[in-house]
Amino acid sequence: MPEVRITIGGRQFEVACQEGEESYLHSAAKMLDDEAQVLSDQVGRMPEARMLLMAGLLLADKTASIEDRIAEVKAELAEREAELAGLRNVKIEPERIEVPVVPQSVKETLAELAARAEALAAEVEEKAGR
């Protein structure tokens, strides 16, 4: 088991870890050291056990907050997925548009008017041509 030297709050610690987990341990130690540094800047020197306890509690609080946010995002994602699934199953019927049909009697009347207009035009041309 590898031994890793980490620094937290200006203090050195030797910690054993599983093979290949050294980088994870260094990352975790860095997070704990950052919290310990914030405490040290705010409060000053404190006993090692208290400093580690407070830094651990600060990290636990951040972790709990992130876990709550993850749960909210997962719930929102589930809602959106359900909404999307519902939309995929919706059959959209095309809008029906009715076009009015010209009644046959109107067509006949228009044809009759057109014939009269042509006859009048021909009569006017004939009189004008004399």
Side-chain angles (χ1 to χ4, degrees):
M1 221 179 237
E3 290 280 325
V4 177
R5 181 179 298 251
I6 58 173
T7 303
I8 299 173
R11 298 173 182 117
Q12 298 271 325
F13 299 92
E14 290 286 330
V15 182
C17 65
Q18 296 294 323
E19 189 73 40
E21 292 184 353
E22 295 88 352
S23 64
Y24 297 112
L25 182 59
H26 282 291
S27 295
K30 169 94 171 77
M31 291 169 60
L32 192 57
D33 184 47
D34 290 346
E35 294 302 322
Q37 188 61 49
V38 169
L39 285 171
S40 178
D41 293 346
Q42 291 176 353
V43 179
R45 282 295 276 172
M46 67 175 71
E48 180 179 286
R50 183 153 181 85
M51 185 246 334
L52 289 173
L53 171 67
M54 294 301 293
L57 287 173
L58 287 171
L59 281 177
D61 181 56
K62 285 182 179 181
T63 301
S65 174
I66 290 170
E67 286 175 349
D68 288 346
R69 182 65 184 130
I70 288 171
E72 290 172 8
V73 169
K74 282 182 177 180
E76 188 175 333
L77 177 61
E79 287 177 25
R80 297 295 169 258
E81 286 175 339
E83 183 180 343
L84 183 59
L87 290 173
R88 285 187 176 131
N89 295 328
V90 171
K91 299 284 188 216
I92 299 175
E93 294 293 325
E95 183 180 343
R96 184 177 178 98
I97 300 175
E98 295 197 23
V99 178
V101 176
V102 179
Q104 186 61 33
S105 62
V106 174
K107 287 182 185 178
E108 291 170 358
T109 303
L110 287 174
E112 198 174 302
L113 286 172
R116 284 185 193 168
E118 287 177 7
L120 285 172
E123 192 176 316
V124 169
E125 282 180 10
E126 187 179 309
K127 287 183 181 180
R130 287 190 195 169

